[in-house]
Amino acid sequence: MEVLRAPIFDVHRTFSDGALAIDAGRIVYCGDYKPFPDAKTIDLRGGFLLPGFVDAHVHFPQLRIIGRLGRSLLDWLDRFALPEEARMADISYATEIARDFVHALVSNGTTTALIFGAHFVPATVALFEAAERTGLRAISGFVFSDRALPPELLQKPEDAYRASKLLIKKFPRYAITPRFAVSASEAMLEVCQTLAREHPGLWFQTHINEQPGEIQDVARRFGWAQDYFGVYERFLQNEARVVLAHNVHPREAELERMAARGVSIAHCPSSNASLGSGIFPMRRHLDAGVRFALGTDVGAGSGASVMREAFAAYLMQRVAADGVRMDAGEMLYRATLAGAEALGLETETGSLEAGKSADIVYLRAPEGSVLAGALKRVEDPTQALEALFTMASAESVREVRMAGEVVFSRKPDSRM
Ligand code: GUN
Ligand code: ZN
């Protein structure tokens, strides 16, 4: 058994002098500090222990194109995202990106992620393997499209089906991943439905209601559907755990049906702002009872930090006409347990409750940093958590543990 001693910020509870005891990869105690005579205790005071972060929407092949600003969705896809995704046909390039991508997530404190794979099977395999090597709990899938994209990114539905069967056998944390209704025909969505029926318990991820031009395109292509969600709804199986990214422009009837079906939304505020998609109607999601978590949405988003994404959500809601006032506890919940709930993994991860996997982030402000100075002046733990969400970046992620094992640690010498 190993004991970590430090202030702890868990979902809905704080221990200013806390202890986290880990045995065989599981949390066995999380509470006020007390001595554990038979265990090795590591004194981590000076930093903070939090649950590992959950990223509910992120694209691995887009790591290198973060920061292409000033375009709208369909234009950005054509000009930047899709040409880069086509490069994933080169397996040596894809393998390099997969490795760097997984490192980017883990070094930002993410321990679980739902990831858009590539339009190519070998590149998608490279991602799963990079995640396995690092210890990241990755759920991902081969991206389906059979129209409306450059031809090198398209597959025939029957080929998509066959390739998926092999991948599912090899990688059980598998997400059926049609890119979006614009680029997936009915035949392709039928393949998704068949896979979900044949493999109960898989995940299903795609995009929805991101920008008006995209929504109009979907309405044109699926004349029979009452709205965008109606397209996916027709092909969804009851068993699948469904995560839809964005949902910036939902109709009221869609929200009602999303709540009834128990789908989750991945809210991606920095991407929504950067592409000009709009402000997420968080209050309407809360009022309708639609579950939502956070997605960094690399590469339309600004990086792989779920903490930064939580802060972006806070900022966007502050300037929204009917915005929700997210406090630090709410940001922590959205960055952790809400993601685990969206992925159906809430009994395994997402908080520091005893019995769960010891997926832990240790934050410690770099010596001499503005954040370190601010933390010295806080009056209570809530202010410390606020300062962390406002200022902590990857440089403050000192150590990350996955099932108790250290999967990332940073030398304490960088000042910022
Ligand atoms: N809709 C379809 N593909 C994408 C993508 O790669 N990024 C975003 N933000 N939206 C999409
Ligand atoms: Zn996306």
Side-chain angles (χ1 to χ4, degrees):
M1 185 157 79
E2 201 173 22
V3 177
L4 311 179
R5 180 177 186 180
I8 295 172
F9 288 118
D10 190 16
V11 179
H12 308 316
R13 57 186 187 155
T14 299
F15 303 102
S16 39
D17 182 12
L20 194 60
I22 303 165
D23 194 25
R26 298 267 144 195
I27 297 165
V28 292
Y29 174 85
C30 175
D32 289 321
Y33 175 74
K34 61 178 186 181
F36 286 79
D38 300 327
K40 181 175 99 180
T41 297
I42 305 174
D43 190 344
L44 296 173
R45 285 175 292 177
F48 306 87
L49 295 166
L50 282 75
F53 302 124
V54 181
D55 191 339
H57 182 74
V58 57
H59 296 254
F60 119 74
Q62 297 177 8
L63 184 70
R64 294 277 192 266
I65 54 136
I66 298 169
R68 304 287 154 85
L69 306 179
R71 308 269 178 155
S72 296
L73 172 65
L74 299 176
D75 191 19
W76 175 85
L77 284 169
D78 285 345
R79 177 77 181 79
F80 302 120
L82 299 176
E84 180 67 6
E85 297 220 9
R87 292 194 185 98
M88 299 299 139
D90 173 355
I91 186 61
S92 68
Y93 184 60
T95 303
E96 174 191 322
I97 301 299
R99 185 197 59 210
D100 290 356
F101 173 84
V102 169
H103 177 77
L105 265 60
V106 172
S107 62
N108 275 285
T110 295
T111 50
T112 298
L114 176 61
I115 304 166
F116 254 64
H119 287 275
F120 305 96
V121 170
T124 305
V125 169
L127 171 72
F128 275 115
E129 291 179 346
E132 267 174 11
R133 270 196 304 277
T134 314
L136 175 71
R137 186 184 289 103
I139 302 163
S140 187
F142 172 43
V143 182
F144 289 178
S145 286
D146 64 342
R147 65 181 184 196
L149 303 187
E152 59 273 30
L153 297 179
L154 304 180
Q155 321 89 28
K156 292 199 181 74
E158 56 272 27
D159 295 340
Y161 174 78
R162 226 171 300 120
S164 302
K165 296 294 279 187
L166 297 175
L167 286 167
I168 291 165
K169 210 179 272 176
K170 203 154 178 233
F171 305 107
R173 286 201 196 109
Y174 195 84
I176 300 163
T177 308
R179 187 167 199 119
F180 58 164
V182 171
S183 70
S185 71
E186 279 182 47
M188 199 57 126
L189 293 171
E190 273 164 16
V191 166
C192 297
Q193 185 176 38
T194 306
L195 288 168
R197 193 182 301 130
E198 292 174 353
H199 301 274
L202 292 190
W203 289 261
F204 176 96
Q205 61 175 341
T206 189
H207 297 90
I208 195 165
N209 287 328
E210 188 173 359
Q211 293 208 348
E214 168 218 17
I215 296 166
Q216 284 157 16
D217 187 298
V218 170
R220 224 176 12 250
R221 290 174 187 276
F222 296 91
W224 50 261
Q226 54 186 312
D227 46 40
Y228 201 153
F229 183 55
V231 175
Y232 297 136
E233 211 174 14
R234 169 154 159 206
F235 299 98
L236 286 177
Q237 287 300 113
N238 279 336
E239 300 79 9
R241 292 173 263 193
V242 177
V243 181
L244 308 175
H246 302 288
N247 209 32
V248 178
H249 305 284
R251 294 183 182 171
E252 225 34 55
E254 289 180 289
L255 288 172
E256 278 168 27
R257 286 169 11 243
M258 286 170 176
R261 169 62 180 73
V263 311
S264 297
I265 300 303
H267 169 34
C268 310
S270 64
S271 165
N272 292 345
S274 184
L275 294 178
S277 304
I279 300 183
F280 180 68
M282 191 179 285
R283 191 170 300 286
R284 288 176 61 212
H285 282 72
L286 292 172
D287 289 348
V290 180
R291 198 158 49 197
F292 64 93
L294 293 170
T296 60
D297 199 23
V298 164
S302 60
S305 168
V306 180
M307 282 195 99
R308 313 296 306 143
E309 210 56 47
F311 185 58
Y314 163 86
L315 290 176
M316 298 295 287
Q317 291 301 307
R318 285 296 280 147
V319 298
D322 189 27
V324 174
R325 267 187 208 221
M326 298 176 75
D327 62 19
E330 172 71 9
M331 284 189 263
L332 178 61
Y333 165 67
R334 292 292 164 197
T336 57
L337 186 59
E341 288 167 347
L343 303 184
L345 296 173
E346 69 277 10
T347 58
E348 181 64 10
T349 191
S351 74
L352 301 175
E353 233 179 288
K356 289 193 182 184
S357 176
D359 304 343
I360 300 160
V361 182
Y362 177 54
L363 297 177
R364 188 169 178 140
E367 210 58 48
S369 64
V370 174
L371 174 57
L375 288 168
K376 285 187 193 136
R377 300 277 291 118
V378 297
E379 289 154 12
D380 55 46
T382 300
Q383 291 183 359
L385 192 57
E386 287 172 353
L388 289 170
F389 271 103
T390 306
M391 285 181 271
S393 56
E395 286 75 11
S396 297
V397 175
R398 187 66 69 87
E399 189 174 277
V400 180
R401 287 176 185 244
M402 190 70 211
E405 296 293 320
V406 176
V407 294
F408 173 77
S409 67
R410 187 185 303 276
K411 288 199 185 67
D413 55 6
S414 47
R415 183 192 162 112
M416 59 156 301

